[in-house]
């Protein structure tokens, strides 16, 4: 890891969500009972209600709530039950005074058509977002996991034996959660079983310089990158030797991403280059590669989960977003004014592939000063981006969440048009000059952030609701759910397990801690 200096703030340099529909109430009847005089004929299709939106329902998971009645003369719950009980005995129910809801009849009658359309629209929107018990059955299971994370105590931590390997720069779990890899300052990669906390193997000469990042391609293949300017591919089944070594960068390699659809490896480094590697044609001598993009002051690069966008952060405070990403086409321009010109749409009104947007994200307390975006992460569902920013004078650090906005920019050259600051929190100003890597939980409800000699678990609210359920009108502070301090030095990186209720953190002195609740 390096000590970054102040970048030049003036260097050359979407799926948003709407307002939620109110959830239907379980206690309302679905059909109107007999009116006092004379009975009103039922409207055609009045009993056909659209599927409910269970994601906001107050009932237990798996118990669908009934939609509200869609026409006038709605009965209270007990009246509907009396009517149904009489019909089961084969006898007509005696006319009883039905209590109407307050409001004029014309308003109640008009509410049927509009209410039906609003509920149907809300259900379709929930479905398009991939939410609801019938679309995402595991969504409510993470509520239990979130409660378990909130019950973790510092005394529950387990230390792994890593003291002789320098600072811990990065942690990465395998997709199935069976292996935890540790990127170390002194050229080594450590592998542990996170369940038993047992050491598996040490790759003592993984690189010739400090190891910066690790990325799993699947459950057995993973890649490492280093300050020695190379990327190495490894196979868990044969760790005695590398699969191959990739050469192409001219400076420290800091970041690895992977497109599972095209099997393309994407790396970035302090030479300002983003390079694409075709792992489909990998041999012992390496992989075919090409330079995809170049910009000055590059710090971190990330792909959205669907690989439709690439985000690049810089030490000069800029955030670059490549929309409608096509990794098969290279971008050779490197100056910010030229890149801004690429945002113009074609004559058909459609933005071109790899259209680029240059933003200067708003950072609390840094409105009049430059800042450096040191860490960049993305929400697991692609709803937002998570930034760790520090001032150019290194006297303040902030963790900020920005929601992706839908639609075209309001003004062609306006900054901050695709991202909106929703949540933030000030961090401990310790360990100056070192990058602190933070992360989202697998469901996106929580954030684990290095804080001094420990970590803090942060939520969008005290209930750890999903971001889409608690979007504020104005930027609001993140809520501290739990603080866990168990290290004797500054924590540099933290990671959630993708499959178990476990968090790992690594510090400057080389210690790795595992946090998990005790039952």
């Amino acid at each position: 890891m390096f000590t970054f200096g102040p970048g030049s703030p003036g260097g050359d340099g979407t799926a948003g969500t709407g307002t939620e529909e109110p959830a239907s109430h379980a206690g309302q009847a679905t059909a109107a009972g007999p009116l006092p005089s004379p009975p009103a004929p039922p409207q055609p299709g009045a009993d056909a209600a659209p599927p409910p939106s269970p994601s906001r329902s107050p009932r237990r998971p798996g118990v669908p709530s009934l939609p509200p009645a869609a026409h006038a003369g709605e009965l209270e719950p007990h009246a509907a039950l009396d009517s149904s009980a009489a019909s089961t005995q084969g006898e007509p129910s005696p006319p009883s005074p039905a209590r109407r809801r307050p409001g004029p009849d014309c308003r109640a009658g008009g509410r049927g058509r509009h209410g039906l359309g609003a509920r149907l629209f809300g259900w379709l929107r929930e479905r398009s977002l991939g939410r609801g018990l019938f679309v995402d059955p595991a969504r409510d299971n993470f509520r239990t996991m979130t409660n378990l994370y909130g019950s973790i105590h510092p005394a529950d931590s387990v230390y792994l034996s890593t003291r002789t390997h320098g600072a811990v720069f990065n942690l990465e779990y395998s997709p199935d959660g069976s292996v935890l890899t540790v990127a170390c300052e002194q050229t080594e990669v450590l592998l542990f079983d996170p369940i038993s906390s047992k050491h598996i193997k040490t790759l003592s000469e993984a690189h010739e310089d400090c190891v910066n990042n690790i990325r799993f391609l699947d459950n057995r293949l993973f890649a490492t990158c280093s300050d020695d300017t190379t990327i190495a591919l490894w196979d868990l089944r044969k760790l005695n030797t590398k699969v191959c070594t990739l050469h192409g960068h001219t400076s420290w390699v800091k970041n690895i991403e992977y497109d599972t659809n095209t099997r393309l490896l994407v790396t970035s480094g302090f030479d300002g280059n983003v390079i694409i590697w075709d792992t489909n044609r990998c041999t012992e001598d390496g992989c075919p590669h090409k330079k995809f993009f170049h910009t000055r002051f590059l710090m971190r690069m990330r792909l959205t989960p669907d690989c439709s966008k690439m985000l690049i952060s810089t030490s000069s405070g800029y955030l670059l977003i490549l929309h409608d990403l096509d990794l098969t086409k290279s971008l050779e321009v490197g100056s910010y004014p030229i890149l801004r010109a690429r945002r113009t749409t074609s004559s058909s009104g459609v933005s071109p592939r790899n259209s680029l947007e240059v933003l200067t994200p708003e950072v609390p307390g840094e409105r009049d000063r430059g800042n450096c975006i040191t860490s960049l992460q993305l929400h697991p569902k692609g709803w937002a981006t998570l930034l760790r920013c520090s001032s150019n004078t290194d006297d303040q650090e902030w963790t900020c969440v920005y929601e992706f906005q839908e639609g075209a920019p309001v003004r062609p050259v306006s900054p901050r048009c695709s991202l909106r600051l929703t949540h933030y929190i000030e961090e401990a100003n310790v360990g100056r000059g070192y990058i602190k890597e933070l992360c989202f939980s697998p469901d996106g409800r929580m954030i684990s952030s290095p804080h001094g000699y420990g970590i803090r678990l942060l939520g969008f609210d005290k209930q750890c609701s999903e971001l889409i359920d608690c979007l504020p009108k104005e930027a609001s502070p993140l809520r501290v759910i739990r603080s866990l301090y168990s290290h004797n030095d500054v924590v540099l990186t933290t990671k959630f397990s993708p499959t178990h209720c476990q968090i790992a953190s690594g510090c400057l002195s080389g210690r790795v801690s595992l946090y998990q609740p005790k039952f």
Side-chain angles (χ1 to χ4, degrees), residues 290-308:
K290 66 176 181 178
K291 186 170 72 173
F292 174 74
F293 184 76
H294 176 82
T295 186
R296 298 172 61 187
F297 311 120
L298 189 152
M299 287 291 294
R300 290 290 185 268
M301 173 273 305
R302 300 289 180 191
L303 299 178
T304 54
D306 60 359
C307 294
S308 64

Side-chain angles (χ1 to χ4, degrees), residues 65-78:
S65 59
L66 298 176
H71 43 273
E74 293 175 280
L75 290 177
E76 294 296 321
H78 66 82

Side-chain angles (χ1 to χ4, degrees), residues 74-322:
E74 293 175 280
L75 290 177
E76 294 296 321
H78 66 82
L81 291 175
D82 292 341
S83 176
S84 62
S87 62
T88 55
Q89 297 176 359
E91 299 178 1
S93 57
S96 59
R99 292 186 291 177
R100 295 176 182 267
R101 294 188 178 275
D105 291 345
C106 60
R107 181 179 300 176
R111 188 175 56 214
R113 291 184 296 274
H114 295 296
L116 181 65
R119 291 195 305 276
L120 179 60
F121 173 79
W123 178 77
L124 290 173
R125 186 175 64 81
E126 294 275 306
R127 184 180 178 86
S128 68
L129 291 173
R131 302 178 59 209
L133 294 175
F134 303 106
V135 181
D136 185 9
R139 180 171 180 260
D140 282 332
N141 294 342
F142 283 107
R143 296 182 186 273
T144 302
M145 191 71 78
T146 301
N147 292 334
L148 290 176
Y149 281 126
S151 65
I152 296 177
H153 296 278
D156 300 337
S157 61
V158 177
Y159 298 120
L160 304 182
S161 56
T162 61
R163 285 186 173 275
T164 62
H165 307 281
V168 175
F169 285 163
N170 187 249
L171 299 165
E172 185 71 15
Y173 285 88
S174 61
D176 59 4
S178 62
V179 177
L180 172 64
T181 55
V182 182
C184 300
E185 180 182 15
Q186 295 179 5
T187 75
E188 297 172 326
V189 174
L190 309 179
L191 292 90
F192 290 89
D193 180 348
I195 306 304
S196 64
S197 304
K198 292 182 178 179
H199 176 259
I200 298 175
K201 190 175 181 62
T202 295
L203 307 178
S204 58
E205 296 182 358
H207 288 274
E208 296 178 1
D209 207 333
C210 60
V211 185
N212 296 317
N213 192 240
I214 302 174
R215 172 70 61 176
F216 274 87
L217 283 59
D218 52 35
N219 283 324
R220 61 183 181 85
L221 290 174
F222 65 94
T224 60
C225 65
S226 169
D227 281 357
D228 66 5
T229 75
T230 68
I231 301 99
L233 295 182
W234 304 85
D235 192 327
L236 286 176
R237 300 169 299 181
K238 189 180 179 182
L239 291 172
N240 293 328
T241 182
K242 303 174 186 177
V243 175
C244 65
T245 301
L246 308 180
H247 299 270
H249 285 278
T250 58
S251 186
W252 301 344
V253 187
K254 293 295 183 181
N255 205 186
I256 306 175
E257 290 289 286
Y258 184 64
D259 184 349
T260 55
N261 298 320
T262 61
R263 291 175 56 86
L264 295 177
L265 198 70
V266 189
T267 61
S268 66
F270 281 179
D271 55 3
N273 292 327
V274 176
I275 297 181
I276 307 295
W277 310 82
D278 188 359
T279 61
N280 298 291
R281 296 185 289 166
C282 186
T283 66
E284 292 182 357
D285 298 327
C287 299
H289 68 279
K290 66 176 181 178
K291 186 170 72 173
F292 174 74
F293 184 76
H294 176 82
T295 186
R296 298 172 61 187
F297 311 120
L298 189 152
M299 287 291 294
R300 290 290 185 268
M301 173 273 305
R302 300 289 180 191
L303 299 178
T304 54
D306 60 359
C307 294
S308 64
K309 295 182 181 68
M310 176 185 289
L311 280 75
I312 298 172
S313 66
T314 71
S315 59
S316 55
Y318 288 101
L319 184 67
L320 315 182
I321 304 178
L322 281 164

